[in-house]
Amino acid sequence: MTTELTRPQAPPLPVRAGKREKTKVQNRQLILEAAQRVFAELGYGATTVRDIIRATPLASGTFYNYFKSKEEVFQAIRDDSALRIRPRLRAERIRAATIEEFISGTFRTFFQYVADDQGTFHAIRRNRSDALRIRMDTPEIIAGFEELREDIETAISKGLFPPVDADFLMASIVGVAFEVAERMLLRDDIDPPAAADFATALFLGGVRAIPHVTQPREKVAEHTGIQNTAGA
């Protein structure tokens, strides 16, 4: 399975940006794009600042004009990703007229975005402990979580949701979204709608509502301890 890298987006330049400002934006963009490639190839834990610098045409001192460490680079990539997806997620939740539309729209939009932006997720998969810490504490990602909690509270006030714990529900949606997304990317056939349907069914109906998967008879026997005695 090949992984496509989504290029981090550079911030818009002022209308009359001078040559120096353009150079700054371009250099920062070169670093972010190189870092994303290196993270995807080596994994976050194994990547060093030297690896990132070598993947750019810039001098080593130039890197430190923009970032202090690989952690800052990675957080910038994650924040850029969060800034692209947050407006789409919020728009889906605002237009939702039912609890089903709120939940399914959130998961469907997120999983499709992940499928289209595999490079960022692939970059953190090799070092799970560091990835969990970094991905959760960048300013833009935290802001996204807060937006979800606020939207849940608004939905509760409108009678869309029952009066549940908005903070716990937000954490549950976030946890399922990230974990299912990572499992989805490990499959040969990446299917965002199927992942969204699964997560939505889980939230709306609990485990009993999840579509059943037919297991081979050998697998059933293995789990139940029943031996195939045919022909014995």
Side-chain angles (χ1 to χ4, degrees):
M1 180 180 66
T2 59
T3 301
E4 296 182 359
L5 296 179
T6 300
R7 296 177 61 183
Q9 294 182 344
L13 286 169
V15 176
R16 296 185 178 179
K19 183 177 179 181
R20 186 175 182 181
E21 286 74 16
K22 290 181 180 178
T23 299
K24 286 182 177 180
V25 172
Q26 291 170 354
N27 287 347
R28 186 177 186 275
Q29 193 70 7
L30 283 172
I31 293 170
L32 291 177
E33 291 175 6
Q36 191 177 42
R37 293 194 302 271
V38 175
F39 286 139
E41 179 182 352
L42 303 180
Y44 174 82
T47 295
T48 65
V49 169
R50 186 181 296 273
D51 293 325
I52 298 173
I53 294 173
R54 285 174 176 170
T56 74
L58 305 174
S60 59
T62 304
F63 174 92
Y64 292 102
N65 290 333
Y66 300 89
F67 301 101
K68 296 179 181 179
S69 63
K70 72 172 185 179
E71 288 82 4
E72 282 196 0
V73 179
F74 195 82
Q75 289 186 359
I77 292 172
R78 294 300 298 166
D79 277 345
D80 178 81
S81 180
L83 281 170
R84 293 197 302 273
I85 184 59
R86 277 171 50 196
R88 292 161 56 182
L89 286 168
R90 189 145 220 193
E92 283 291 331
R93 296 193 295 260
I94 290 175
R95 73 167 58 101
T98 65
I99 186 173
E100 290 82 2
E101 291 179 359
F102 187 104
I103 297 294
S104 64
T106 298
F107 283 127
R108 183 181 63 255
T109 302
F110 181 75
F111 291 141
Q112 186 60 59
Y113 177 76
V114 169
D116 295 338
D117 187 24
Q118 296 179 40
T120 304
F121 277 76
H122 181 72
I124 67 173
R125 194 181 303 154
R126 295 187 183 186
N127 196 324
R128 188 172 178 79
S129 59
D130 282 348
L132 285 170
R133 173 178 57 81
I134 292 171
R135 81 179 181 197
M136 293 299 182
D137 63 9
T138 67
E140 296 300 336
I141 292 178
I142 291 175
F145 296 164
E146 286 303 306
E147 285 178 354
L148 173 57
R149 182 182 57 76
E150 292 170 3
D151 290 345
I152 292 171
E153 290 176 343
T154 299
I156 292 173
S157 68
K158 292 180 178 179
L160 207 63
F161 277 82
V164 298
D165 189 308
D167 195 50
F168 280 171
L169 182 57
M170 176 273 290
S172 301
I173 292 175
V174 168
V176 168
F178 274 108
E179 295 304 320
V180 172
E182 291 186 10
R183 301 308 300 182
M184 177 185 71
L185 291 186
L186 292 175
R187 299 189 173 191
D188 293 331
D189 181 19
I190 297 175
D191 190 346
D197 288 346
F198 178 93
T200 300
L202 175 62
F203 269 83
L204 294 181
V207 175
R208 293 183 185 278
I210 298 174
H212 293 183
V213 175
T214 303
Q215 292 184 333
R217 293 181 62 186
E218 295 80 4
K219 201 71 174 178
V220 174
E222 177 185 330
H223 287 300
T224 59
I226 299 174
Q227 300 296 321
N228 186 354
T229 57

